[in-house]
Structures are given as structure tokens and as C-alpha cells.
Amino acid sequence: MTTENKTITPKTSKQTVLQAHNVRKSFGARGNVQQVLKGIDLRVAEGEFVGIMGASGAGKTTLLNVLATIDRSTEGTILIDGVDISKMKDSELSAFRRNQLGFIFQDYNLLDTLTVKENILLPVSLGKMKKQEAEAQFQSIAKILDIEALADKYPHEISGGQKQRTSAARALINQPSLVFADEPTGALDSKSASSLLRTMAEVNKQQGVTIMMVTHDPLASSYCSRVVFLKDGNVYSELYKGDKTRQAFFQEILNVQAVLGGDSVDAL
Amino acid sequence: MCRLCSGVTALTLFDLVKRSMRKNIKHYYLYFFALILSVVLYFVFATLQHDAAVAAQGTGTMGAAFQVAGILLVFIAGIFIVYANAIFLKRRSREIGLYQLIGLTKRAVARLLIIENMLLGIMALIVGIAAGMLVSRVFLLLLMKLIGYEAFIEVSFSTAAVIQTFFVFLAIFVLTTIQMVFTVYRNSLLSLFNSEKQGQHPRKPKTAASAILALLGIGLIAFGYWLSGRMLNAMIFFNMLAVLATVILGTYLIFRVTISWLLYRIRRSKNGHLGLANSLSLAPLMHRMKSNANSLTIITVLSAMTLTMTAAAYSLYYSTEQETQAIMPFDFMFENEAGLADDISQELDDNGISYQREAVETFVVPAEFEEKPAPFLERATDIALFSSEQLQQAGLDVDVPENGEASFHDVSVATLFNSVTLPFDLTLQDEGATTLSITEIAQQNVLNWSFFTSQIVVNEETYQSLKAQLASETGDAALQQMDGFHIAEEDMAAASAIYQQDKYKVSEPHVDYYSSYDGSIQSNGLLIFIAGFLGLVFLISTGSILYFKQMTEAEQEKQSYATLRQLGFTVKDIMRGIVRKQAFVFGLPLAIGLAHSIFAIQAASFLFRTDILFPASVAMGVYALIYLVFAVLAVGYYKKTVKAAL
């Protein structure tokens, strides 16, 4: 699919990972329908680190859920790696999530009964990946995320930042086409948060992993290569980092947010 | 929550109770179900206990058996309800904390819970007694059928049963109330809010100590099993205690140490590559093994006892006919009373009862056994000699021994000879000290037990030569003429009544096959009914407890299922791991319980002359099947939870 008028195109001409066209999502029964997404068009290219920002109720999480195949859109098409996910059956979606996508959640969502290593290796447990291959993959990811020493610890024995790194490692173990992160720094203190974001940016650059992150924190989104702003279920505007410093990008984000109004206060 | 705080001033405590009960119906139904079930079963039991038909049928033993079983039943019901209440309270601890957080005093919260408990108790009593009335007829019919009572019966409403049920559950209600008050007063707010999250994290076992204890657990059970097959000696009482102690301790160690140790080793060998199914079975099991060790041990040991009890009772009941036949091959007999035998033949003819009258000759001589497995064999004892050909003529199924050989027929001591190697010598105390070689210990008497105990069968040739020899020594005094009667099945009752008339009572004990069988079937029928009833109650209680626990675990792990679904695992993938866990949770206590009971039954098999493999297998099979139902229910609940998780 080539660029259409309304489609937001990144400057690079890399391969498209995600292509959303006219995505709509409504909730509620007849008579009391609330449209949360009102026709979103979005294209994410390989190697991008996209931030989705917007005030509470702007539809950030709904968009993420729809794009991440956890929820179904009411209308529109979503292609991930050229595959139309809106036409897939539930079981196909599950397999697709397992093989193509990675997830990082605000609450980490680690399994309490599993060690760090077991948690990380969980997504490959039903795949065809050989044990040695999985082990090598685990070692390299654990090294990047600096959690090698924690492999045999249980989630209750490690800090929030470490848990989120574990969660990130779990998202990356499958070498997914696209990683979705939902407020990954939401439960972290500022030091752990920036440390995690630095690592994510690094993984994005060095490993070429495509990441889409929902956040309401301008500081977090300043690590992205592009930030898309949502307002009332529509794409309001977008910013590219380009060659700007992170600080300058952060300032730009704040400016857009000021115009947008909303939750700039609770971000700090 | 906010609706609650704004409204709380206007609400009376009773309103609050009504509201919370309506909102929490899901939490309640589990506890409520446990209450109702206990009431139904207890009420049925009490009704039977007070039933006129049962009382009329029964002798003194019936009442005593019911009383003991009733006490046991109260215990089981009490433990079951207290346990269900504990799970119920744990699930609601957040709510209890919330009430306190919004400003209710502990006293008020306790009062609220007590009112709730009272409402639940009263409802359970009403529903339970109503349901109990409906099903008690089924149980009464079953009991009457088991004890061979065939007249029409009607269940009458028993006020005494209602009162008895009421007081038993009043006592249990007091117990649960104390439990509730304890929960409110003893726990801090913080612990109330966190109790849902509690669960231990598996620690790395101290390898050396764990390995030793783990193997000790297996060793103790193996020793107990080994000893159970060798208990029959002078130390039998001590041996039984030792078997019980080692097996119970071994079971505890298995659950407390061995399994965790094995699981830990398996897990370590996986080195992090656990796989989904193990992540959902092995890992959560390890987490809960410590807190579950006690209850699993109790469930397993009690399962084993119940299984043994029901299997033994059913075996007794099942083999009643065979056992009675083994000790009474003739329906009734007369010893040297040809006149009476003629009289009764006449009377049977008059009543149109067809019969076969068989004459059997025997003579009695003291003899000494080479092997003496029973104390009474220490000295020379009287034996009765028979000719196998004569017995065959009389319609008995006996083998013809070789010349000079003999078979021993006394089923009351036959099992004592199990450890004796055949053949051995039997020396008659005649002048020539004739020796017979015992080549067979038969499982069947050749004469009704009430006449002679040690019955020795030789072939006709040996018999005649011994008879001639003994007659020349002692005369004919030792010679006895027996008249035995075989009655057709359908006339047994009538013939028995004729035989039991006073005029035929010349020898003690005056017993016949039919009345013996009838008496045994009554007592064994009662035994299997009570054992079966208690077994059922126990089975339902333990099955429910395991099921409740699994329900709670399913709810605690909901978030994990949501995460897994999000990561792209299908319900089917997840269920595979859960089924594996259920197989473990339900299967392990059942398997170990079955193994225990198999050895227990085997150790007790000397009580049975007949083959009890079939009845014991049936009892165990039924038990396992009911367990399976609970496992399937638990899997169903998990499936619902997993499906709803995303």
C-alpha cells in the first residue's frame, strides 16, 4: 500500500511494519454508543520508536489494544507486516501475537511463580525455537537489559525497574516485528524510568526493533523518534525528533501538549 | 466503594448485610453449598436413625452402629464447614478490611458477619432439611434393600431428626461464629488487604537435608507396606501401630518434602526453559506445596482409611453368600438323629417343599498335627474323618485324595495354614499311630461348622480301612451318622422356619444356612450402608475442599491468565497446563490413598476366605470416579476463568 493523502509517512523510506487505515472503535450498546477512535490512519516503518500521547480519554490505550490485536476495531484495516489482522480468527490472532509481537505493560505482568529467566523464556515455550537458540537469545537480551544476574530470582525479590526490564526482555525474546509498550514507566521512579527508556532507545537503535509506546509522560516520549498526539479519537499532530537533542525534542513536546491542554500537570 | 461510604450513615447494619449478601452471592454460594450439603446428609442420616422401619428391623448392634457413625458424621461435617468457612473468610478478607477502613468498628464488622452467618445458617437448615426429606426415602430404600428387607416402606417425617439436626448445626454455627470473630479481631487491616496475595515463594531446598528427608518419606512408606504384609505374629498390635505411624509420617514427608524436592530437581534441570504447561502446573504447585502439605496429608490418609473401610465392608457384603456356604455346605443337618430327620422330611413333604436328604458317615478320632499354626492344635485334637466318595454322593464338590493322603476342611482356621508348607503329617492317636499326609487346605467345609470343626477328607479306600481298624480298637462309639438337607433356593425361608421349631432343637448351636445368611446379610448390609454413607460424605467433603481450593487459586491466578492470553497463548494452550496441575492436585492424594488402602486391604485379607479382588476394585473404582467428577468440575471452573481473563 502506498502513501495516501491522510497517511502520515515517516521521512525514511524503510519497510512498513504497521499500516492502519481509518480505524474506528466504538463502545456501548445501541442508543448509547461512544466512539473512542474516529478514523485513525497511521503508518509505522521498520526501526521506528513511536510514542503515542494524548490526554486521558483521548483513546491512547484503545488504539494500542486495537493495533496489538488484543481488541478488535469496529471499522478500518490494520496491516502488520503486510498481514491484515482485522480479518483473522481469534486463534490466528493468538499465534500472531505470540510470534510477531512483543508487549511491555505498566504493571509488568510477570508471573509470580516463575523466575526472571522462566518469565522471559515463556513466549518461546510453544514455538519451534530450539533450546540452544532460545538460550543464546536469552543471554544476549539479558546482557543488553543488564539483568543477567537476576535470572534465578523471583519477581518479588527484585525492584520495579528490574521487573520492567524483565518484562522488556520477555517482549524481545521472540525477535518480534513490533513491540507495544503501555505506559512502561508508569509505575517506576524517575531514575529507573530514564534508565529503562535509555535502554529501550538503545535497543531500538542498535537492534533495529520497532517500538510503539503509549505514554502521557512527555519525558518518556522524548526518547522516541516520533511522537503522535491523539485528541478525542483523532490524530491531532505529530512530531519528529530528527537530529534534535532530546532536551529540545522534550521542549517541543511540551509545547504541543500545552496547546492540546489536558494532563501535562500530572506528567510531572 | 464510594456508594458505600456516602450511604453508610443512612444504612443500618442489617441493610448493609442484605446489600453485601446480594453483591457477594458468588463468594457465598461456595460456603452456602457446603452448609446445605452437610445439612442434607446429616438430616438423612438422622431420619434413618429415627426411622421406625429401621428400628424394627434392627437389633441392638444396628442402633450402636448408627450412633457411632452419627458421631463420626458430625465430626466430618464440622471440619468440612469450618474449612469451607476459612476459605470463604479468606476470599472476603478485603471486604472485611474495607468495612473497617470506612470506619466500622471491629465489633460492628463482627456483628455484621454473625448476622450474615445466622441468615445463611437458617436458610441452609431450611433448604437442607427440605432436600433431605426428598432424598431420605432413596437412602432408606437402599438400606432396606442392602439388609434384605423387602416389605413396602414409607418414610415418616421425623421431628426428632429435625431437632437433632438443628442442635448439631447450632453447635457448628457457634464454631464458625467464633472463627469469624477471630478473623476480625486477630487480623490487622494490612494483613486483611494482603491475604489474597499471600502464598509462599519456593525456597531453594537445602539439598542434603531435603534429599535425606525426601528419601526417608519414600522409605517410611515402603517399610510400612512391607511390615503390613508381615503383621500376623505375637506383636500384631505393635505392628499395626508401627505400620500406621510409618505410613502417616511417610505420607506427610512425601507431601512436605519429597514432592517439592523432586519438582525442584525437575525445574532446575530445565534451566529456565520451563515451557508453558510446566509454568502453569509445576511452578504454582511448588509455590503452594508448603501450605498444602498438611491438608493433602490429611486428605490422603483419610482417603486411604475411607477406601479401606468401604472396600472391606463391600467385600464382606459381597462375599456373604460364599462365606456362609463355605461354613455350611448343607442347609441344615442332624447328628445321629435319624428319627428327627425322618420327622422333618415328612414335614417338608407336607409343606410341599422339595429337598434332598443326604446321609454322610463320619467317625471322630483324636489326632496330632505336625504343623501347629493355631494354639488349639498344640495338643492332640479331635478330628472328623470323611470319605470323599461319600461326600461327592451327597452333592459336595470335593477332590478325591490319593491313598494315605488327606485334605483339611476347616475354613475358620484355613488362613492360619497359609504360611505352612504342604504336605505335613497328621498322626492319628490310635494304636498304630497311623499317619496321614495333609496335601490340601480346603477353603470349604464338608459339614456344617456347628458339628465338627477339624474335618479331614480321605478317599473311600483309606476311609474304609481306617474305619475297620478303629472299630476293632474302640468299637462303633466314634461312628456318627449325619443327615444333611439341601433345600431349593425358593423354599429356603419356609424350610428354615420349620427347622427352627423347638422340637428339632437337639444340638447347640441350632443353626441353619438360611437364617445364618440372613443374619450376616443384615449386619453386613448395615455395615456397607454406613461405611458407604460415611465414605460418600467424606468423599464429597474432601472433593469439595480440593475444588474450593482450586477455585480460589484460579481467581488468584486470573491476572497470569490475562497476561498469557495477551502474550498470545490460546485458551487451549493454557488449559493444557491447568489440566496437568489438576491431575496432580486430585490425582496424587487419590493415588497415594489408593496405594495405602490396597496394602491395608491386603493386610486384612486374612479375614476373608473369598477372593475380594472384585468387590475391592469396584469400591475403589467408584471412589476414583467420584474424585474425577470434582477434578472435571475444577477444570471447568478454570476454563471459565481463563476465557473471561482477557
Side-chain angles (χ1 to χ4, degrees), chain B residues 341-377:
Chain B
D342 290 343
D343 289 353
I344 206 167
S345 300
Q346 186 60 48
E347 198 168 346
L348 289 172
D349 281 335
D350 291 348
N351 284 282
I353 294 169
S354 53
Y355 62 90
Q356 273 176 293
R357 176 176 167 181
E358 311 286 356
V360 179
E361 184 191 84
T362 179
F363 62 86
V364 177
V365 60
E368 187 158 350
F369 285 77
E370 184 195 7
E371 299 284 350
K372 306 171 171 68
F376 77 93
L377 295 173

Side-chain angles (χ1 to χ4, degrees), chain B residues 84-97:
Chain B
N85 192 33
I87 296 176
F88 175 56
L89 282 175
K90 193 161 182 186
R91 286 173 133 200
R92 296 185 63 200
S93 57
R94 178 173 281 273
E95 182 196 341
I96 295 169

Side-chain angles (χ1 to χ4, degrees), chain B residues 213-285:
Chain B
L213 283 176
L215 295 175
L216 183 68
I218 298 172
L220 280 173
I221 288 185
F223 175 75
Y225 285 175
W226 176 82
L227 189 61
S228 75
R230 289 163 184 73
M231 291 199 300
L232 293 175
N233 54 38
M235 309 243 287
I236 181 156
F237 184 67
F238 172 78
N239 286 341
M240 277 165 66
L241 279 183
V243 168
L244 263 182
T246 49
V247 170
I248 291 176
L249 188 65
T251 309
Y252 179 72
L253 283 177
I254 290 254
F255 283 116
R256 187 73 173 75
V257 189
T258 313
I259 287 168
S260 312
W261 181 71
L262 281 174
L263 293 182
Y264 177 80
R265 290 188 72 87
I266 293 172
R267 193 171 185 176
R268 205 182 50 180
S269 74
K270 298 271 181 201
N271 185 29
H273 301 259
L274 207 51
L276 180 69
N278 282 333
S279 298
L280 285 169
S281 52
L282 191 143
L285 279 170

Side-chain angles (χ1 to χ4, degrees), chain A residues 53-64:
Chain A
M53 288 199 73
S56 303
K60 298 186 301 265
T61 302
T62 307
L63 177 64
L64 186 87

